[in-house]
Amino acid sequence: MHEASLMSDLMSKLETVLQGQGEAEVLSVHITLGALAHISPVHFREHFSTAASGTRLADTRLEVTLMHDINDPRAQDIILESVEVSA
């Protein structure tokens, strides 16, 4: 259930980015996973693909970076680093 909530929140954020952008599409998304975020990049990608399937986010390129420092203040976070939108 944790992953479903994460993906729902992310999809909502991406749809918000697209609001008022006409026919624009999200080309790519860069996510950073903290070392203690409790989700692997592979698992994150699988859930993203499932959540985006059938939506206008389905063709979005997903870039996932994994932090390794468990002492980083963001070690438990899942960080939306950037969103590239078509013109």
Side-chain angles (χ1 to χ4, degrees):
M1 285 302 182
H2 175 56
E3 291 86 354
S5 176
L6 287 172
M7 288 305 131
S8 176
D9 183 54
L10 177 58
M11 294 298 133
S12 178
K13 287 177 182 176
L14 295 175
E15 288 292 344
T16 298
V17 167
L18 289 174
Q19 285 179 351
Q21 299 276 341
E23 295 297 315
E25 296 177 6
V26 174
L27 300 175
S28 67
V29 174
H30 180 198
I31 301 289
T32 297
L33 302 176
L36 301 174
H38 303 292
I39 188 167
S40 72
V42 170
H43 199 190
F44 190 91
R45 285 179 191 283
E46 290 171 356
H47 284 283
F48 182 89
S49 178
T50 298
S53 180
T55 74
R56 63 183 182 164
L57 300 168
D59 295 326
T60 300
R61 187 178 75 245
L62 180 62
E63 193 176 325
V64 181
T65 303
L66 178 62
M67 295 179 0
H68 298 284
D69 182 1
I70 63 171
N71 295 312
D72 187 294
R74 303 168 301 158
Q76 294 183 359
D77 298 341
I78 296 173
I79 305 156
L80 176 57
E81 297 284 359
S82 65
V83 178
E84 180 184 3
V85 178
S86 66

